């Protein structure tokens, strides 16, 4: 019989056994679909090259502090100029900075992703514009390029955007180009502004600039890093106060973009791979049971001259047909699953490169490979067992329920043990992530998140007088907002916890050093600006001293408030009130500030971040940072219900102010998006794995009870009670479950090392989690065996023996 004939026969067998075929296709289709959906995301985010020409030569630069073992993806302005001078390494190099900020178009303002870049930036990527042109050297402080969605949203089409003005920070720029949708760097950027060629801040302690570059032809990343190490050594000698123990590195831009999500996606890919293995084990059990039921058919074929290879080939052909049918279903499930993953990723976690995620030939090739491998995985064992059938025994047992023998039963038991073990690994992993997430969400943040409306407000300003006027505008705005019924208190900040704005760096205590001469030795802190009433509005306790007041305005005696952690770090048991502190927030114009208060510690970045030392300064005394303010309003009701009246007040006072709204609870939720995303998917995979394991246990126990019907009938005829038969069957199931649990715990402990870096406040071998999971899984597995056990206990001895 040829392979074609084998495949036709396999198709006929599927039609003759639609229930069996549906069970196999659905089980395997779920496994293939989930695996393919996850691979689609992994492929688009981690594996595909960037869409830019020569993308392997595009790199991002970082600063590495060798004494702390810490790296940040930013450089100082002075260090960037030194890197830019190395034209033997870099063909082109550019700095950029920015984020969500207010952009004015005609008579309105909106928040948009905007970055200020130097004029080399667009040439690095080699992407031609869709309309207009890219930057040239004469465009500094004059021109902008925009994304196609921004152009369509504001001007109707891409071509109409060319030569249109837009305003940023009270300066007018002319749109000279529209970039294609495939250009998405940095992520969520709509406007690229041609800034000055040289950075404005050249201080070597202010890490304000991100840097991207294109390596020269023939220069590898390793060669570039070697040259940067030599440059770093020269700069450490030339600038010991700022560049000692500091070096620079570059890495492929793709690696930097995906670094925050790489581990999460790899772990989830591993989890869904285990799910596929469980599905294959489940299907293998079904195939073994069916092969056993077809024992006489196989024996007849062997008696008529079929060789062992022909029998194996026929069984594998049936497996392949089932796998291909499951693959078709799997691709359909994968399409839906991919869309759900993308929707979930976009809504809950900032997955990079979402535009590159699609079901293409690479994904389809992966699905075909999974189908072929899985068909061998679940079909080889049944085929091998069927080929070893004892011809004489099989023909003599014409009426027997199965003829594959004890080896087949042992293999089925092994597969069930494997299913239970693998599903237990997934359930324990999901349990660890879930309990870790609950622990994370229960930590004390140091502030209250309930009933707080947050408005990001960006007022345009360029000169010192403009910035001072903005601070006066904000004081008037806060007062007007306090008059809105239902708004209990109002304040402003730059550097709200879990927010987009913020700063950090070294600080100096008078008598313990200065910013100019001891930069590398200084302690570090988070920097925030705050208006009067900020701490009470946010629920941050004031421990000692006073709050900021309206008297703390520009030109008055500089004041500061420190957190308890900073006070302990720099003063120990001494009293910090009245002492003076200095930081580099305002660049070269560093001034000594008198500490007037101490407040409680705050987890600034997310619930997972420790409560770092924090330095607060009056918003009005630092006007150059005050025009990008976060207005916090404690409300007596649903916070977002106050958006309309707040927006109306701001528009009436200054229509050039861009606004966007959120809540403090939403901001904190966004800060834990990554652990929530991986926890949710892990729970879904674990639930599906446990369901498949239960199905496998049920199928095997059902088959075993059918095979042992005569034994149970004899036991009942000899006086055995139903309870005894029930205990016998459940005891067998318990032994199988016990073996699976032991194997699963061992595997889970090993796999826990991978999860260790993702857990918060607990170890990967947390005994409480293991106990809860075992208390859940064991009864669930036994429940799956209960129905066949009850059926066995109710067998009619006379009817069963008469049938035998």
């Amino acid at each position: 019989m040829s392979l074609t004939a084998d495949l036709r026969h396999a198709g006929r067998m599927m039609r003759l056994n639609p229930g069996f075929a549906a069970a196999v296709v659905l089980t395997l289709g779920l496994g293939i679909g989930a695996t393919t959906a996850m691979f689609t995301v992994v492929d688009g985010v981690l594996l595909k090259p960037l869409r830019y020409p020569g993308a392997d030569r595009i790199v991002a630069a970082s600063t590495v502090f060798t004494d702390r073992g810490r790296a940040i993806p930013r450089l100082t302005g002075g260090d960037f100029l030194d890197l830019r001078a190395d034209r033997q390494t870099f063909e082109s190099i550019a700095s950029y900075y920015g984020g969500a900020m207010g952009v004015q178009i005609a008579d309105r303002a909106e928040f948009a992703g905007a970055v200020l870049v130097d004029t080399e930036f667009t040439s690095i990527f080699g992407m031609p514009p869709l309309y207009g042109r890219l930057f040239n050297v004469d465009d500094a402080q004059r021109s902008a390029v925009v994304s196609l969605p921004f152009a369509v949203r504001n001007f109707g089409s891409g071509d109409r955007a060319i030569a249109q003005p837009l305003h940023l920070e009270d300066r007018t720029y002319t749109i000279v180009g529209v970039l294609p949708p495939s250009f998405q760097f940095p992520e969520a950027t709509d406007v690229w502004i041609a800034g000055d060629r040289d950075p404005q801040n050249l201080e070597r302690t202010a890490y304000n600039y991100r840097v991207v570059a294109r390596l020269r032809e023939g220069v590898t990343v390793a060669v570039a890093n070697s040259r940067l190490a030599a440059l770093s050594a020269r700069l450490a000698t030339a600038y010991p106060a700022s560049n000692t123990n500091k070096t620079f590195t570059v890495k492929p831009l793709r690696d930097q973009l995906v670094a925050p999500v790489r581990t999460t996606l790899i772990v989830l890919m591993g989890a869904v791979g285990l799910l596929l293995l469980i599905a294959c084990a489940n299907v293998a059990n079904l195939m073994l049971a069916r092969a056993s039921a077809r024992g006489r058919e196989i024996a007849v074929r062997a008696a008529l001259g079929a060789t062992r290879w022909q029998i194996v080939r026929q069984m594998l052909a049936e497996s392949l047909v089932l796998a291909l049918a499951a693959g078709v279903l799997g691709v359909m499930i994968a399409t839906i699953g991919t869309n759900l993953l993308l929707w979930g990723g976009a809504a809950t976690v900032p997955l990079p490169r979402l535009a590159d995620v699609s079901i293409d030939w690479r994904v389809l090739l992966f699905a075909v490979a999974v189908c072929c491998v899985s068909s061998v995985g679940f079909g080889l064992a049944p085929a091998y067992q069927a080929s070893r059938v004892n011809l004489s025994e099989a023909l003599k047992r014409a009426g027997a329920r199965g003829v594959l023998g004890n080896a087949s039963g042992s293999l089925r038991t092994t597969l069930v043990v494997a299913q239970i073990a693998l599903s237990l690994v997934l359930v324990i992993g999901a349990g660890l992530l879930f309990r870790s997430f609950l622990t994370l969400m229960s930590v004390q943040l140091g502030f209250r998140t309930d009933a707080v409306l947050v408005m990001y407000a960006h007022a345009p300003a360029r000169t010192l007088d403009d910035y001072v006027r903005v601070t006066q505008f904000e004081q008037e705005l806060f007062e007007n907002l306090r008059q809105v019924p239902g708004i209990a208190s109002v304040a402003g900040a730059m550097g709200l916890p879990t927010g987009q704005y913020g700063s950090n760096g070294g600080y100096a205590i008078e008598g313990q050093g200065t910013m100019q001469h001891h930069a590398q030795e200084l302690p570090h802190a988070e920097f925030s600006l705050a208006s009067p009433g900020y701490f009470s509005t946010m629920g941050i306790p004031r421990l000692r001293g006073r709050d900021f007041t309206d008297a703390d305005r520009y030109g008055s005696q500089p004041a500061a408030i420190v957190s308890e952690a900073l006070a302990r770090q720099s003063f120990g048991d001494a009293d910090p009130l009245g002492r003076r502190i200095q930081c580099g927030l305002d660049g070269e114009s560093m001034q000594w500030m008198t500490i007037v208060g101490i407040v409680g510690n705050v987890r600034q970045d997310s619930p997972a971040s420790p409560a770092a030392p924090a330095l607060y300064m009056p918003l009005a005394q630092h006007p150059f940072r005050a025009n990008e303010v976060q207005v916090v309003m404690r409300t007596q009701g649903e916070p977002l219900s106050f958006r309309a009246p707040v927006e109306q007040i701001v528009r009436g006072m200054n229509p050039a102010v861009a606004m966007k709204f959120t809540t403090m609870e939403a901001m904190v939720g966004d800060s834990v998006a990554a652990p929530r995303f991986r926890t949710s998917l892990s729970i879904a995979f674990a639930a599906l794995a446990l369901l498949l394991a239960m199905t496998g246990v049920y199928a095997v126990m059902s088959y075993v009870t059918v095979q042992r019907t005569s034994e149970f009938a004899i036991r009942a005829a000899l006086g055995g009670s139903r309870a005894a038969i029930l205990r016998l069957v459940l005891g067998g199931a318990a032994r199988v479950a016990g073996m699976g649990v032991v194997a699963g715990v061992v595997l889970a402990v090993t796999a826990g090392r991978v999860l260790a870096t993702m857990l918060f406040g607990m170890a990967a071998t947390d005994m409480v989690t293991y106990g809860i999971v075992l208390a859940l899984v064991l009864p669930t597995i036994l429940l799956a065996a209960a129905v066949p056990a009850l059926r066995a206990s109710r067998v009619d001895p006379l009817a069963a023996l008469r049938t035998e």
Side-chain angles (χ1 to χ4, degrees):
M1 184 182 288
S2 66
L3 178 60
T4 304
D6 285 339
L7 293 175
R8 284 199 301 268
H9 180 71
R12 285 196 299 272
M13 294 303 295
M14 286 181 63
R15 291 193 298 273
L16 290 173
N17 300 273
F20 169 81
V24 170
V25 170
L26 180 59
T27 299
L28 198 60
L30 285 171
I32 293 174
T35 307
T36 304
M38 199 68 235
F39 174 78
T40 305
V41 176
V42 169
D43 178 57
V45 175
L46 300 185
L47 304 180
K48 281 184 180 176
L50 299 177
R51 297 186 179 188
Y52 315 123
D56 58 323
R57 291 165 52 205
I58 302 177
V59 296
S62 297
T63 301
V64 179
F65 302 97
T66 55
D67 58 333
R68 305 175 210 159
R70 176 172 169 260
I72 57 174
R74 297 183 300 278
L75 272 66
T76 69
D79 293 333
F80 165 71
L81 292 182
D82 289 310
L83 265 68
R84 190 174 69 184
D86 183 7
R87 289 301 179 175
Q88 289 186 335
T89 301
F90 303 113
E91 182 179 293
S92 52
I93 183 170
S95 65
Y96 65 97
Y97 69 95
M101 60 181 71
V103 176
Q104 290 76 39
I105 307 100
D107 59 346
R108 64 187 185 84
E110 70 168 67
F111 258 92
V115 292
L116 277 79
V117 304
D118 64 47
T119 53
E120 281 192 50
F121 181 86
T122 51
S123 65
I124 290 172
F125 298 91
M127 291 289 289
L130 206 57
Y131 301 97
R133 62 175 177 83
L134 301 178
F135 293 136
N136 59 46
V137 294
D138 299 322
D139 283 321
Q141 295 294 349
R142 296 174 51 189
S143 304
V145 296
V146 300
S147 69
L148 181 62
F150 181 88
V152 171
R153 187 167 67 246
N154 289 287
F155 306 106
S157 64
D159 57 334
R160 291 181 184 175
I162 302 300
Q164 294 286 347
L166 62 82
H167 310 277
L168 181 70
E169 297 292 24
D170 215 25
R171 186 189 292 272
T172 302
Y173 299 88
T174 301
I175 298 175
V176 299
V178 176
L179 295 176
S182 56
F183 185 81
Q184 296 188 351
F185 183 80
E187 291 278 339
T189 299
D190 282 318
V191 179
W192 293 262
I193 300 291
D196 292 322
R197 175 167 170 74
D198 294 339
Q200 294 181 355
N201 188 342
L202 299 180
E203 285 292 319
R204 293 181 186 268
T205 57
Y207 299 88
N208 296 326
Y209 301 97
R210 293 181 180 266
V211 174
V212 64
R214 179 178 285 270
L215 298 177
R216 283 201 171 278
E217 193 76 45
V219 177
T220 64
V221 171
V223 169
N225 283 328
S226 176
R227 293 175 180 176
L228 289 177
L231 172 63
S232 303
R234 294 196 298 271
L235 293 180
T237 301
Y239 308 100
S242 60
N243 284 60
T244 301
N245 299 319
K246 185 168 76 174
T247 188
F248 313 108
T249 63
V250 295
K251 65 169 61 174
L253 179 61
R254 183 187 65 179
D255 292 353
Q256 187 183 76
L257 290 175
V258 305
V261 299
R262 180 187 297 276
T263 302
T264 291
L265 291 181
I266 290 175
V267 167
L268 291 175
M269 190 68 204
V272 81
L274 290 179
L275 184 63
L276 179 62
L277 286 177
I278 294 169
C280 287
N282 205 332
V283 172
N285 253 326
L286 291 174
M287 294 288 286
L288 278 169
R290 182 165 174 269
S292 180
R294 293 171 60 192
R296 178 166 175 76
E297 170 203 333
I298 295 169
V300 170
R301 289 191 59 200
L304 294 176
T307 65
R308 175 175 293 186
W309 162 242
Q310 288 174 324
I311 293 173
V312 169
R313 190 180 66 187
Q314 175 60 52
M315 299 292 286
L316 287 178
E318 294 180 20
S319 300
L320 181 60
V321 169
L322 289 169
L324 290 177
V328 173
L329 176 63
V331 170
M332 296 171 60
I333 294 173
T335 303
I336 299 171
T338 300
N339 291 332
L340 289 175
L341 284 172
L342 293 181
W343 172 80
T348 62
V349 63
L351 281 177
R353 306 187 63 196
L354 288 181
D356 293 331
V357 177
S358 61
I359 294 184
D360 56 16
W361 67 269
R362 295 155 60 101
V363 173
L364 293 177
L365 185 63
F366 174 84
V368 170
V370 169
C371 288
C372 294
V373 171
S374 60
S375 67
V376 173
F378 72 75
L380 190 58
Y384 177 71
Q385 288 293 331
S387 70
R388 298 180 65 215
V389 64
N390 185 306
L391 179 60
S392 175
E393 181 69 18
L395 292 176
K396 282 191 295 182
R397 296 179 60 190
R401 298 180 185 273
V403 294
L404 291 191
N406 292 332
S408 174
S410 299
L411 183 56
R412 282 195 299 273
T413 300
T414 301
L415 288 172
V416 171
V417 169
Q419 279 184 275
I420 295 172
L422 293 177
S423 63
L424 193 63
V425 172
L426 287 180
V427 176
I428 288 175
L432 288 170
L433 290 173
F434 180 66
R435 289 200 67 234
S436 172
F437 186 72
L438 291 181
T439 303
L440 181 64
M441 296 307 295
S442 65
V443 300
Q444 293 297 316
L445 300 175
F447 59 92
R448 290 174 55 197
T449 63
D450 59 298
V452 176
L453 177 66
V454 178
M455 176 180 69
Y456 282 81
H458 188 168
R462 185 154 54 106
T463 66
L464 174 60
D465 289 341
D466 292 338
Y467 283 105
V468 172
R469 278 194 292 270
V470 167
T471 62
Q472 295 168 350
F473 160 79
E474 288 169 352
Q475 285 184 312
E476 183 181 351
L477 172 63
F478 299 159
E479 189 57 40
N480 289 342
L481 293 177
R482 292 185 186 105
Q483 308 308 313
V484 176
I487 294 182
S489 61
V490 180
M494 190 288 293
L496 199 62
T498 71
Q500 294 177 354
Y501 306 147
S503 184
N504 60 69
Y507 67 89
I509 303 298
E510 190 173 31
Q512 299 178 12
T514 65
M515 294 296 299
Q516 290 86 352
H517 301 296
H518 302 85
Q520 288 294 321
E521 304 168 11
L522 295 175
H524 276 62
E526 303 285 344
F527 301 150
S528 297
L529 304 180
S531 73
Y534 169 74
F535 300 108
S536 59
T537 300
M538 288 292 294
I540 301 173
R542 179 158 52 89
L543 305 179
R544 293 183 60 196
R546 67 171 177 87
D547 194 356
F548 297 134
T549 69
D550 291 338
D552 295 314
R553 61 173 63 93
Y554 184 70
S556 65
Q557 174 62 40
I561 292 174
V562 300
S563 70
E564 186 180 15
L566 189 147
R568 189 183 312 110
Q569 174 175 271
S570 292
F571 299 99
D573 295 330
D575 186 2
L577 295 181
R579 298 287 297 275
R580 298 209 300 172
I581 190 171
Q582 180 189 60
C583 74
L585 182 68
D586 293 329
E588 296 181 3
S589 59
M590 289 176 282
Q591 52 190 344
W592 289 106
M593 301 170 286
T594 302
I595 298 175
V596 300
I598 305 172
V599 296
N601 296 327
V602 166
R603 294 180 184 264
Q604 183 70 19
D605 295 330
S606 77
S609 66
L615 173 61
Y616 300 91
M617 294 155 276
L619 191 67
Q621 284 188 347
H622 301 266
F624 285 110
R625 302 278 183 155
N627 70 316
E628 294 180 286
V629 70
Q630 293 155 304
V631 183
V632 289
M633 294 156 274
R634 184 159 295 281
T635 63
Q636 297 170 342
E638 168 57 36
L640 287 175
S641 66
F642 292 87
R643 172 175 177 166
V646 170
E647 197 167 6
Q648 184 177 2
I649 289 173
V650 178
R651 291 274 184 251
M653 294 179 65
N654 186 350
V657 174
M659 293 171 284
K660 65 176 182 177
F661 293 84
T662 184
T663 66
M664 201 66 238
E665 288 182 337
M667 290 172 62
V668 172
D670 290 343
S671 73
V672 294
R676 183 173 58 242
F677 179 68
R678 60 176 171 251
T679 299
S680 300
L681 281 185
S682 297
I683 290 174
F685 294 154
L688 188 54
L690 189 57
L691 178 62
L692 289 176
M694 289 177 62
T695 304
V697 171
Y698 173 81
V700 168
M701 296 309 299
S702 294
Y703 177 80
V704 168
T705 55
V706 170
Q707 294 294 95
R708 297 175 64 185
T709 299
S710 58
E711 174 194 341
F712 297 144
I714 293 172
R715 287 177 179 272
L718 294 176
S721 66
R722 288 186 174 184
I725 295 175
L726 186 64
R727 285 195 301 272
L728 178 66
V729 176
L730 288 179
R735 285 191 294 274
V736 172
M739 289 186 289
V741 165
V742 171
V745 168
V746 172
L747 290 174
V749 170
T750 304
R753 299 170 186 171
V754 179
L755 291 179
T757 58
M758 299 182 179
L759 302 178
F760 177 82
M762 61 189 304
T765 54
D766 179 65
M767 290 297 103
V768 175
T769 302
Y770 276 68
I772 292 173
V773 169
L774 292 178
L776 169 69
V777 169
L778 278 173
T780 302
I781 296 298
L782 293 178
L783 181 64
V787 174
L790 286 172
R791 191 183 303 129
S793 69
R794 293 171 180 170
V795 66
D796 183 347
L798 293 179
L801 293 174
R802 190 180 302 117
T803 301
E804 291 296 326

